[in-house]
């Protein structure tokens, strides 16, 4: 079993990620998140919003519609330039992106010979939707990047808030791309979520370069602060011929995935491309100077983050599989176990601890099998702390707190449990 097989199996078995529409044979490029997956994904989004919006004075949030007037996509250049080159294998008619030579080589290996390919054709990645009930229906698009919703609301945000340049608009939401070759679990999907910041700056090369460097480092720091291994992350500058049509300059944060170094998040200098295409400008409130701001963008994938945090945390040890997730990201923060299930006093006390903690944390209850097996089940889903209520609890009102990473145990008074967990979570430590 490869690491990807293990992650896929764990995802399915424990309820992180399921194949989309599985009972009907699935559908390529679409995935569903189970009860633990949705918690992990929400924790990532919450942590991002906390850092990028609540933690700053110069960023506000937005939640724009997925479907916009199709003119938006014409103006933004996506209807003409948001394309990938596609080639077809003349032996089996399978299609691949011709700008990904590793995919072509892997496919040739499947045929055990060099195969002939068709000429490359460009394919637009926007997903069309038909609106209305009477003919002719209106053709619109599911947004190919969440970004354009920010630009079309630039004026609205400036007019309705107190933001002044430099400032940012942050957004998290779904995007859709007709990917030719979805794959590697959720890494390349047709429906996915993005978490993006559009940071508007004065059109000045020196200032914009400094802010670009600043945001690049900030984004790297964020991933590291949530436990990503430093040696698994790197920056990669885009070559001239691979940059998106809107970007003057682009750097990716890449993760060393089991399938090779892969794009995790893009930091883009979009210049005045978008605002000028939408005929939008900014008036400086102090000087009345009118100009088209430039945009520095940080664009991360929520699904890629979920996948890479899972991969990064996964460890097989001699006696257990453990997800060493940062506690902020762990789907379940605490598990509560009555030592035995057939002693009403112990079960009752454990239920009281469970109810107390459940008010503020995601808590699991387990009274099946022996304590060792219960630990293993929680280790596998990354629960940082397991509490056992035993005979001593009835005497001293203390419980055993077992740490996922060290497997060490301490005893804590029930009245101190909430503070203990909260301090660990807020301090970001274990
Ligand atoms: N607004 C800029 C933009 O969309 P991008 O580099 O095309 O830039 C940004 O996408 C991020 O969105 C990527 O770094 C990746 O994390 C995520 N992403 C893009 N396409 C994806 C796909 N097909 N499946 C999953 N995530 C994707």
């Amino acid at each position: 079993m490869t690491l990807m097989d293990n992650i896929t199996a764990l995802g399915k078995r424990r309820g992180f990620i399921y194949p989309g529409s599985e009972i009907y044979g699935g559908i390529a490029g679409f995935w569903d998140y189970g009860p633990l997956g949705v918690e992990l994904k929400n924790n990532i989004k919450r942590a991002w919003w906390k850092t990028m919006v609540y933690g700053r004075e110069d960023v506000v949030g937005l939640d724009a519609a997925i479907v916009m007037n199709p003119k938006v996509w014409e103006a933004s250049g996506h209807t003409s330039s948001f394309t990938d080159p596609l080639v077809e294998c003349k032996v089996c008619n399978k299609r691949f992106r011709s700008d990904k030579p590793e995919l072509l080589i892997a496919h040739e290996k499947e045929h055990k010979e060099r195969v002939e390919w068709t000429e490359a054709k460009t394919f637009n990645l926007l997903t069309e939707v038909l609106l209305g009930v009477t003919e002719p229906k209106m053709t619109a698009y599911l947004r190919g990047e969440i970004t354009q919703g920010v630009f079309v609301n630039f004026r609205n945000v400036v007019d309705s808030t107190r933001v002044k340049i430099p400032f940012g608009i942050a957004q998290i939401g779904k995007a859709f791309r007709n990917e030719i070759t979805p794959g590697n679990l959720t890494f390349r999907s047709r429906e996915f979520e993005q978490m993006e910041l559009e940071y508007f700056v004065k059109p000045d090369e020196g200032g914009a370069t400094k802010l670009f460097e600043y945001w690049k480092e900030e984004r790297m720091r964020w991933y590291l602060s949530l436990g990503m291994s430093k040696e698994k992350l790197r920056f990669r500058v885009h070559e001239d011929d691979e940059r998106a049509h809107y970007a003057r300059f682009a750097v990716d944060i890449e993760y060393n995935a089991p399938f090779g170094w892969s794009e995790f998040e893009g930091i883009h200098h979009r210049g005045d491309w978008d605002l000028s295409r939408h005929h939008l400008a900014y008036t400086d409130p102090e000087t009345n100077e009118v100009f088209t701001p430039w945009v520095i963008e940080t664009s991360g994938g929520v699904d890629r983050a979920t996948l890479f945090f899972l991969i990064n945390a996964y460890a097989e040890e001699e006696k257990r599989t453990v997800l060493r997730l940062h506690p902020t990201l762990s789907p379940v923060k605490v598990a509560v176990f009555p030592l035995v299930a057939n002693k009403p006093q112990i079960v009752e006390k454990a239920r009281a601890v469970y109810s107390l903690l459940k008010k503020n944390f995601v808590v699991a209850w387990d009274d099946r099998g022996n304590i060792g097996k219960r630990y293993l089940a929680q280790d596998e889903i990354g629960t940082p702390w397991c509490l056992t209520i035993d005979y001593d609890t009835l005497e001293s009102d203390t419980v055993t707190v077992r740490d996922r990473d060290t497997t060490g145990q301490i005893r804590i008074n029930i009245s101190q449990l909430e503070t203990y967990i909260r301090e660990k979570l807020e301090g970001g430590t274990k």
Side-chain angles (χ1 to χ4, degrees), residues 260-333:
W261 284 98
S262 310
E263 177 184 340
F264 196 170
E265 166 152 348
I267 295 96
H268 308 130
H269 183 341
R270 295 179 77 122
D272 67 356
W273 171 267
D274 302 275
L275 291 187
S276 64
R277 300 280 294 207
H278 295 304
H279 306 290
L280 291 162
Y282 174 81
T283 309
D284 188 296
E286 267 111 51
T287 62
N288 277 335
E289 185 195 352
V290 178
F291 58 89
T292 307
W294 287 357
V295 173
I296 308 297
E297 168 184 73
T298 71
S299 176
V302 180
D303 308 80
R304 281 192 193 173
T306 307
L307 177 64
F308 290 160
F309 275 119
L310 275 176
I311 293 173
N312 196 67
Y314 185 91
E316 276 183 12
E317 296 177 357
E318 202 187 328
K319 292 199 175 116
R320 63 175 187 162
T321 297
V322 55
L323 276 189
R324 293 182 184 278
L325 285 170
H326 190 286
T328 305
L329 301 184
S330 292
V332 175
K333 306 298 182 210

Side-chain angles (χ1 to χ4, degrees), residues 145 147 177 179 187 189 194 196 246 263-264 297 299 301:
E145 58 168 2
T147 333
R177 293 183 190 175
E179 295 284 357
F187 175 76
S189 315
Q194 294 185 307
E196 289 193 338
Y246 50 72
E263 177 184 340
F264 196 170
E297 168 184 73
S299 176

Side-chain angles (χ1 to χ4, degrees), residues 12-277:
K12 178 91 196 301
R13 181 159 42 82
R14 297 305 306 270
F16 283 95
I17 303 172
Y18 309 129
S21 321
E22 196 181 11
I23 61 167
Y24 288 101
I27 173 167
F30 295 88
W31 297 89
D32 298 333
Y33 288 85
L36 294 181
V38 67
E39 295 299 333
L40 173 57
K41 205 170 160 208
N42 281 342
N43 290 341
I44 292 170
K45 291 191 275 185
R46 255 193 296 270
W48 186 89
W49 198 264
K50 192 171 167 210
T51 303
M52 302 294 277
V53 183
Y54 298 153
R56 309 188 58 97
E57 291 182 16
D58 56 350
V59 176
V60 292
L62 184 89
D63 183 12
I66 287 175
V67 177
M68 290 184 273
N69 189 313
K71 285 182 192 157
V72 171
W73 301 104
E74 277 157 36
S76 70
H78 281 76
T79 48
S80 55
S81 307
F82 194 47
T83 53
D84 274 341
L86 174 148
V87 287
E88 202 172 297
C89 166
K90 284 193 178 170
V91 179
C92 67
N93 302 105
K94 270 200 185 159
R95 292 165 174 187
F96 296 90
R97 274 173 66 171
S98 62
D99 59 342
K100 300 272 173 211
E102 68 280 8
L103 296 179
L104 305 186
I105 293 166
H107 184 68
E108 289 188 346
K109 275 194 190 142
E110 275 176 35
H111 283 301
K112 299 194 174 61
E113 58 177 320
R114 236 188 93 63
V115 301
E116 247 193 274
W117 296 96
T118 58
E119 285 287 304
K121 280 191 225 150
T122 50
F123 265 72
N124 196 285
L125 296 178
L126 289 175
T127 314
E128 289 179 3
V129 277
L130 296 175
L131 301 179
V133 287
T134 50
E135 299 295 340
K137 290 182 180 165
M138 176 187 178
T139 302
Y141 305 99
L142 298 177
R143 61 187 175 190
E145 58 168 2
I146 62 170
T147 333
Q148 294 304 321
V150 168
F151 298 134
V152 299
N153 280 293
F154 177 76
R155 255 283 52 92
N156 284 335
V157 173
V158 169
D159 290 347
S160 58
T161 70
R162 289 155 155 234
V163 291
K164 272 194 271 173
I165 276 183
F167 75 90
I169 303 180
Q171 184 176 214
I172 299 177
K174 293 261 186 179
F176 300 80
R177 293 183 190 175
N178 248 334
E179 295 284 357
I180 298 163
T181 41
N184 287 324
L185 207 65
T186 54
F187 175 76
R188 183 165 289 107
S189 315
R190 289 181 167 142
E191 172 178 340
F192 54 96
E193 247 176 308
Q194 294 185 307
M195 41 191 184
E196 289 193 338
L197 172 75
E198 306 307 319
Y199 199 74
F200 300 93
V201 304
K202 275 200 141 183
D204 151 51
E205 210 58 74
T209 305
K210 263 195 204 142
L211 282 166
F212 186 94
E213 287 302 310
Y214 167 81
W215 279 112
K216 209 179 95 182
E217 296 301 332
E218 275 298 290
R219 295 306 303 139
M220 179 64 96
R221 202 182 53 72
W222 186 78
Y223 287 113
L224 295 175
S225 77
L226 287 171
M228 272 287 168
S229 313
K230 202 167 183 194
E231 70 282 2
K232 295 259 179 179
L233 294 180
R234 71 175 187 195
F235 290 117
R236 190 180 68 82
V237 177
H238 275 213
E239 303 290 339
D240 288 349
D241 61 354
E242 62 172 325
R243 272 199 304 273
H245 63 276
Y246 50 72
R248 290 163 72 129
F249 187 69
V251 171
D252 283 344
I253 294 177
E254 289 190 330
Y255 180 73
N256 193 1
F259 41 90
W261 284 98
S262 310
E263 177 184 340
F264 196 170
E265 166 152 348
I267 295 96
H268 308 130
H269 183 341
R270 295 179 77 122
D272 67 356
W273 171 267
D274 302 275
L275 291 187
S276 64
R277 300 280 294 207

